[in-house]
Amino acid sequence: MSKQGGAKKTNGQNDQNLVNIILSWSLRDVVNQDLFRDKVNPIPDRFFGLKSYLDSFRAPLLEEIRAEMSSNLDAQANCSKPVQIRKMVPMPQDARRPPMYFVTIDARRGACPPCNGDIVVLSVAMPLRPSDLASNGTSYCLAHVLQVYGSCTFLIRSSKRIDDYVNSYAFVVSSLTLIPYERVWRSLRYEAAVKRESALLKVIAGEDCICMQSTSLTGAPPRPEMAGGTDVLLAGRLSAFGLNDSQTGAILSCVSAVQCGGGSSKVSLIWGPPGTGKTKTITVLLLAAMKLKYRVLTCAPTNTAVCQVASRLLALRKQHPDACAGRRRCLGDLSLFGNSDRMPIDNDLDEIFLDTRLSRLRKCFSPGTGWKQCLRSLEMFLSRKQKDGTQLLRYNFPTHTFHPISKELSGCFETIMSQVPMHCILESNYSNIALLIKMLDDFSKLLGQKSVQEEVPTWWRQKQKRGGLMGYSEEVIRSMREKMSAILDVTRTLMRDLKLPLTRKFYKIKEFCMESASLIFCTVSGSAKLEGEAMDMLLIDEAAQLKECESLIPLQLSGLKHAVLIGDECQLSAMVKSKVSDNALLGRSLFERLGLLGHKKHLLNMQYRMHPSISIFPNPSFYDGQILDGPNVTHTKHERSYLPGAMYGPYSFINIDGREDRGRSKRNMAEVAAILEILRSLKQACISAGQVVSVGVICPYAAQVEAIQGRIGDVRVMRPLVLRVNSVDGFQGSEEGVIILSTVSSNATGSIGFLSNRRRANVALTRARHCLWILGNATTLSGSGSIWGELVQDAVERRCFFDWDDGGASASRDISHRARLIGPERGGAASAFDTQPVGCEADTICGALGSLRLT
């Protein structure tokens, strides 16, 4: 019953639906590494037009989907745990509709259903490895999850009719999260791309050679024709943010490029090496765009990255309220959307998070309880008549009637002022709303100013009693008359002039919020939900981490005049699981391709993160020495001393003669033991000093991460250390005060696996602010013929190389006794903490290392 030969249906590309293509595969196709080998061609640097550009990604993308499905069906994959099916019920059959079934799973043992859009495998029996279904003859069926209902039931579309076996399938296992791939696939449709008439996409595809002109970002001053105009005015405003010259130049160049429209390059590249303030540059650029009334979409590959940009923008607005035209509390121009379960939404971000905004505005826009009804209630209260037609004194209504109306209206308008953009409210209405809230507050205070009755004449108390004004002085009542008349005037003005929605429907409120926002934040994949929205500018952070085909999702939005890509191709690129697709350059980013074609990149050339002792190696190794150290890191205040001994200075290489254990992943228990001892000593030192220190432990291999985490247990026991243990890839984009880097590899052949990747090395070596301590086997690393050999040689020459003695005490002072400084004498004695002198063994090692020919 296993399906065979499904890949034949994908050759012609007539079926544009990605789900149809995948459901045409058999599991033998999925595990076949050669399925697309002869169909995948390397993605070129240049293209012959839009169609050839889009088509070049299709086969590599299908191969990557196949590889991920195959990987996920491995028994080791977290997402491939088979779940038992309790029952399957077919939907009413229709010849025009594919076969669909309701599946209910057994919810015991914490089983959970797949997610919307997943590709799953139904099977008769649960194999030891789900991938074995391809060869053991067990009946199976591929299916697409259309909708999940509750915690146990979901609707699937199956690859074939299974009515005769509907009660036979006993297990379901997820094999692919399809939605991100489906969004990329839709962006590759040529007919749809033509209809969008995206000038920016044509530029990127090579149909318009303007993207290769030298008018792109060069860091040069604004063009003469712009002098005295917006650029000069903007440059003056930028001075308040404390930017360096390279940051200011990047912002001005981007703004000039947008303003000049077709006369300039449509794509700007900002090269942001580690710690050079690219997030600050981005946020100031966004504030400048708001000033110039541009609509900007800001994207990043991950939820964490996009939330970081949005969070920094909010912080910058608080620091510089003038940049918000005095309306810092008005956040309606900013909108962040995405999956709340996966986004780190704190209290500040919650103010601009779309889901929160919708729930708040629903009450404010409701016809029955919203702003219009609140104004109407207040007007009725202030204008009520007596039965005989004479107007009641407007100030003699009971306080308990006024306060709820006032509170409801003030709360509603406070939400609107915060959550609705200024241009939707209008300046005059905004001022009237603020005035009305203040007038209501002042009037409430007046209601509390009752006189002491004994001091009031009898005739006045009688008059108050008849009018319902018992306890108020004549002066207060006069003031109440005036204020209530003024309140009524403002209320009627707002009733007439304020034009805001009156609806409780979420989709209408959502449309209003998205159409009115000036700055929108989401992931690159999530931008697919913005189809139909017109934007002026696209800004993609961490653009070098994206496959170029992923960037096409936001790049096809209508109205885009300019795209700004911020990234660093010297750090990790997008992950590609298929070797075939990787060789075809599927993982290459648009940022990197344009750079290879000569598109100028604006370099942010001053780093504010690393102590100079840390930056001195990666700067020439990865950036040709172009990066300057900022004044903050060269200041003595940036230097930290947490443990005694030269080995625990800002930078050191600690040579450990351990042994690597090989399995599915590598680990080195000697380095694990050294790390644990360093952490214990560091913890004790921080407790004694009353310090809180952020510490990151970086390991290139998952097994080493697991070994360290297993020994530590709950990281909270390490307080006051704020500890994080993760892989190199997991630390990209992060920074910590202290970084302990475990290189793991220790063998006689100099084999270091994917640690030899220069981009991965760059990430690992640039995460620390104050201290970077590298643990590794110097002989293995030196013999690897990689950047790590250069690092060992550099440590020797700089007298930052230490040998870890595997025995001895564990107290924080004694820990320095276990390290011996190894390196040539360079004018000056060894540190007073280096209790063991450099002897003949050290000289021998130093000589051996110094004679190595390193590449």
Side-chain angles (χ1 to χ4, degrees), residues 37 61 122 223 346 408 457 496 537 609 612 631 640 691 744 746 750 759:
R37 189 176 295 275
L61 187 64
L122 308 175
R223 293 181 304 283
D346 57 18
E408 189 75 14
R496 182 188 67 241
M537 185 168 77
R609 175 188 298 166
R640 302 286 190 275
Q691 291 178 299
V744 180
S746 180
R759 296 185 178 191

Side-chain angles (χ1 to χ4, degrees), residues 393-425:
L393 294 174
R394 290 180 297 223
Y395 47 76
N396 69 351
F397 276 81
T399 302
H400 70 269
T401 303
F402 170 78
H403 283 321
I405 296 175
S406 172
K407 184 178 179 180
E408 189 75 14
L409 186 145
S410 296
C412 181
F413 275 136
E414 288 280 3
T415 300
I416 288 174
M417 291 173 72
S418 170
Q419 300 296 312
V420 176
M422 174 72 68
H423 65 86
C424 295
I425 301 175

Side-chain angles (χ1 to χ4, degrees), residues 450-464:
K450 290 193 175 183
S451 305
V452 180
Q453 293 301 301
E454 287 75 8
E455 299 177 357
V456 178
T458 303
W459 67 270
W460 179 249
R461 287 204 302 271
Q462 292 174 347
K463 183 177 180 180
Q464 287 179 313

Side-chain angles (χ1 to χ4, degrees), residues 73 123 195 213 412 518 568 623 718 743:
L73 287 175
S123 65
K195 288 180 181 179
Q213 292 177 358
C412 181
S518 297
D568 179 10
Y623 301 102
M718 299 304 298
T743 58

Side-chain angles (χ1 to χ4, degrees), residues 83-88 103-108 152-153 167 169-171:
V83 178
Q84 190 168 1
I85 296 174
R86 196 167 65 196
K87 67 176 179 178
M88 289 182 63
V103 180
T104 301
I105 62 171
D106 192 335
R108 292 177 297 179
C152 302
T153 304
N167 296 319
Y169 289 112
F171 296 93

Side-chain angles (χ1 to χ4, degrees), residues 486-553:
I487 290 172
L488 184 58
D489 289 342
V490 176
T491 300
R492 288 171 173 166
T493 300
L494 287 173
M495 287 275 288
R496 182 188 67 241
D497 296 343
L498 192 58
K499 308 298 181 185
L500 290 175
L502 291 172
T503 180
R504 284 183 57 84
K505 295 180 179 179
F506 269 117
Y507 80 92
K508 288 190 175 181
I509 301 173
K510 182 178 179 180
E511 287 178 358
F512 170 79
C513 291
M514 298 307 292
E515 289 173 0
S516 57
S518 297
L519 302 185
I520 298 177
F521 300 85
C522 65
T523 62
V524 169
S525 178
S527 66
K529 297 181 178 179
L530 293 173
E531 188 172 357
E533 287 290 332
M535 309 298 295
D536 298 311
M537 185 168 77
L538 169 67
L539 190 153
I540 303 180
D541 189 20
E542 305 292 1
Q545 295 181 39
L546 283 168
K547 303 179 185 74
E548 181 167 354
C549 57
E550 293 174 325
S551 300
L552 295 180
I553 301 173

